[in-house]
């Protein structure tokens, strides 16, 4: 089945869409492609020498286990081994890294079947100390592609730059072919404020890339580095991911392990410069062919921005509870971050127990992410991070209901079942009013 490129653009519907140690190993390379670009690419995701608990078949309902892939899409044995290693191996971290997720109960099994690698971290945090009060998780320390959910970090970096006086809220941006990424894009001369709104509400990739390049790739990465999130990579604008995966980046061919290199900032700048030399119209058909014929999920780990459920939830707790922004910046963040997708899907919102919500989703070829922070009316501060990678489906947006069913089940475990409170009867209300 051939899907039109427009149907697969990240964040097209529902408005969704760190210095660290990264290890790679060679494998079976596709003809003309470097070993690091194909299924042999390994990213061993872990922290402090411990091991993440991979999702076992026994943790899921029988129907949750992935269907056998077709002969067309069947990965090589080397590719399968590579992906399993990426799930479970936990190399030592550099000194000063955040470390693994705190001990927590295992998240409940997904209520509905979901394929691929799955990760989840849902935690109630103390709003003053940001310490975890109670949490549940599944693979909280495994690395996943972030897709468009990383745009929350771009928003934080942009507001830091505005507060520092290095970016004007009224600065206007030209939309050139070099700047255009996949999907819809803003009008010429859009302001920084307009771009932040489009980035979060509409998941506009071009708006995101314009802002990320304006503040500096390293400034967005610093959001993670300042928090010692050594498994979190935020440095690449969206267009870079797809130019690399489409095989159009000579820098990536020459340096498939670019993130491991000492000059990774320089290489990231080269990757981004190359991406801007290719138009979105040129890119889309090449991606169609790539994802239908050659893609292996492990490829995404070399090209996308990445994090773990625990690290990204930690980033959000700091972004929304300890941002360090000015009063103006905090107000801007509040007004824009609440535009992201998730509020209507959270059971706490459906039963009228949601006071504050900030969040974002992301989807792409065979991956889906939803992350956010919310406060309930009864005083619970909750962060959540759901990540799916290597799904059986090329287009993952239909998995949204299943994803939030799992998130909501985990929220119920952490802060108690979210149920609508019965309305007080007229007689009860009258008695209460008459009481001294």
């Amino acid at each position: 089945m051939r899907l039109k490129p427009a149907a697969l653009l990240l964040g097209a519907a529902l408005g969704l869409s760190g210095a660290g140690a990264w290890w790679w190993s060679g494998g079976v390379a596709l003809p003309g492609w470097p070993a690091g670009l194909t299924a042999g690419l390994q990213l061993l995701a872990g922290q402090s020498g411990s091991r993440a608990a991979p999702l076992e078949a026994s943790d899921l309902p029988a129907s949750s286990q992935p269907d056998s892939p077709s002969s067309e899409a069947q990965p090589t044995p080397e590719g399968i081994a590579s992906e399993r290693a990426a799930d479970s191996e936990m190399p030592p971290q550099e000194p000063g890294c955040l470390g693994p997720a705190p001990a927590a109960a295992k998240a409940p099994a997904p209520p509905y079947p979901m394929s691929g690698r799955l990760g989840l971290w849902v935690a109630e945090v103390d709003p003053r100390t940001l310490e975890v009060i109670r949490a549940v998780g599944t693979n909280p320390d495994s690395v996943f592609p972030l897709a468009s959910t990383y745009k929350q970090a771009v928003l934080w970096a942009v507001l830091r730059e505005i507060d520092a006086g290095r970016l004007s809220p009224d600065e206007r941006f030209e939309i050139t072919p070099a700047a255009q990424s996949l999907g819809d894009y803003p009008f010429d001369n859009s302001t920084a404020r307009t771009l932040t709104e489009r980035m979060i509400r509409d998941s506009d990739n071009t708006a995101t890339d314009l802002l990320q390049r304006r503040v500096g790739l390293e400034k967005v990465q610093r959001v993670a580095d300042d928090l010692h999130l050594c498994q979190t990579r935020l440095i690449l604008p969206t267009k870079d991911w797809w130019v690399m995966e489409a095989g159009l980046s000579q820098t990536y061919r020459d340096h498939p392990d670019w993130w491991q290199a000492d000059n990774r900032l320089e290489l990231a700048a080269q990757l981004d410069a190359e991406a801007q030399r290719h138009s979105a119209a040129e890119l889309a058909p090449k991606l169609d062919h790539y994802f239908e014929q050659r893609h292996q999920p492990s490829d995404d780990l070399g090209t996308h921005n990445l994090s773990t459920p625990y690290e990204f939830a930690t980033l959000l707790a700091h972004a929304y509870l300890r941002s360090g922004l000015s009063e103006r910046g905090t107000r801007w963040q509040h007004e824009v971050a609440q535009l992201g997708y998730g509020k209507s899907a959270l059971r706490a919102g459906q039963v009228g127990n949601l006071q504050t919500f900030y969040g974002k989703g992301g989807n792409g070829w065979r991956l889906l992410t939803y992350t956010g922070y919310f406060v309930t009316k009864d005083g619970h501060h909750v962060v959540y991070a759901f990540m799916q990678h290597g799904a059986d489906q090329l287009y993952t947006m239909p998995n949204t209901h299943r994803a939030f069913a799992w998130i909501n089940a985990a929220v119920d475990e952490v802060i108690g079942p979210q149920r609508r409170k019965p309305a007080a009867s007229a007689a009860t209300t009258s008695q209460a009013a008459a009481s001294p």
Side-chain angles (χ1 to χ4, degrees), residues 55-218:
L55 189 65
E56 302 291 346
S58 59
D59 296 326
L60 304 176
S63 58
S64 295
Q65 299 171 37
D67 297 330
S68 298
S70 67
S71 57
E72 275 188 311
Q74 183 106 20
T76 64
E78 293 88 348
I80 294 172
S82 156
E83 291 188 76
R84 287 176 178 165
D87 286 358
S88 59
E89 295 296 330
M90 305 292 290
Q93 288 294 289
E94 293 181 355
C97 294
L98 175 67
K106 191 161 187 66
Y112 300 101
M114 285 188 291
S115 58
R117 290 197 304 128
L118 301 175
L120 183 68
W121 180 256
V122 175
E124 180 179 11
V125 298
D126 185 307
R128 296 174 302 278
T129 67
L130 306 191
E131 294 293 324
V132 172
I133 297 172
R134 176 173 166 77
V136 297
T138 293
N139 296 330
D141 298 315
S142 290
V143 171
F144 293 83
L146 287 171
S148 288
T149 199
Y150 100 102
K151 294 171 183 176
Q152 295 170 96
V154 178
L155 176 62
W156 191 11
V158 166
L159 295 177
R160 284 175 158 187
E161 289 298 288
I162 290 174
D163 275 355
R166 292 186 288 265
L167 172 62
S168 167
D170 300 321
E171 182 171 330
R172 296 183 179 273
F173 292 78
E174 183 182 359
I175 314 303
T176 65
Q180 289 173 10
S181 185
L182 297 186
D184 292 338
Y185 49 87
F187 290 110
D188 264 336
N189 296 315
S190 293
T191 64
R193 173 61 187 242
T194 297
L195 294 184
T196 61
E197 292 173 353
R198 289 187 62 93
M199 175 174 66
I200 301 299
R201 181 190 60 229
D202 306 320
S203 206
D204 188 316
N205 295 315
T206 299
T208 305
D209 291 1
L210 285 166
L211 290 170
Q212 184 159 3
R213 291 178 183 129
R214 174 61 181 82
V215 302
L217 308 190
E218 73 286 353

Side-chain angles (χ1 to χ4, degrees), residues 11 13-17 148-149 152 199-203 336-346 350 357-362 368-373 384 397 399-404 407-408:
L14 297 179
L16 304 182
S17 17
S148 288
T149 199
Q152 295 170 96
M199 175 174 66
I200 301 299
R201 181 190 60 229
D202 306 320
S203 206
V336 172
Q338 65 181 326
L339 301 176
Y341 183 77
K343 182 177 182 178
S344 63
L346 288 169
Q350 295 165 0
F357 167 81
Y358 307 131
K360 185 80 183 71
L368 185 67
T369 57
Y370 288 102
T371 66
Y373 159 80
Y384 64 90
M397 283 293 297
N399 295 344
T400 293
H401 171 73
R402 297 166 186 255
F404 271 96
I407 293 167
N408 285 324

Side-chain angles (χ1 to χ4, degrees), residues 48 124 318 395:
S48 298
E124 180 179 11
H318 283 80
Y395 183 54

Side-chain angles (χ1 to χ4, degrees), residues 382-407:
V382 179
V383 288
Y384 64 90
F386 160 84
M387 299 178 185
Q388 180 184 31
H389 182 221
D392 291 345
Q393 305 83 14
L394 276 178
Y395 183 54
T396 55
M397 283 293 297
N399 295 344
T400 293
H401 171 73
R402 297 166 186 255
F404 271 96
W406 195 21
I407 293 167

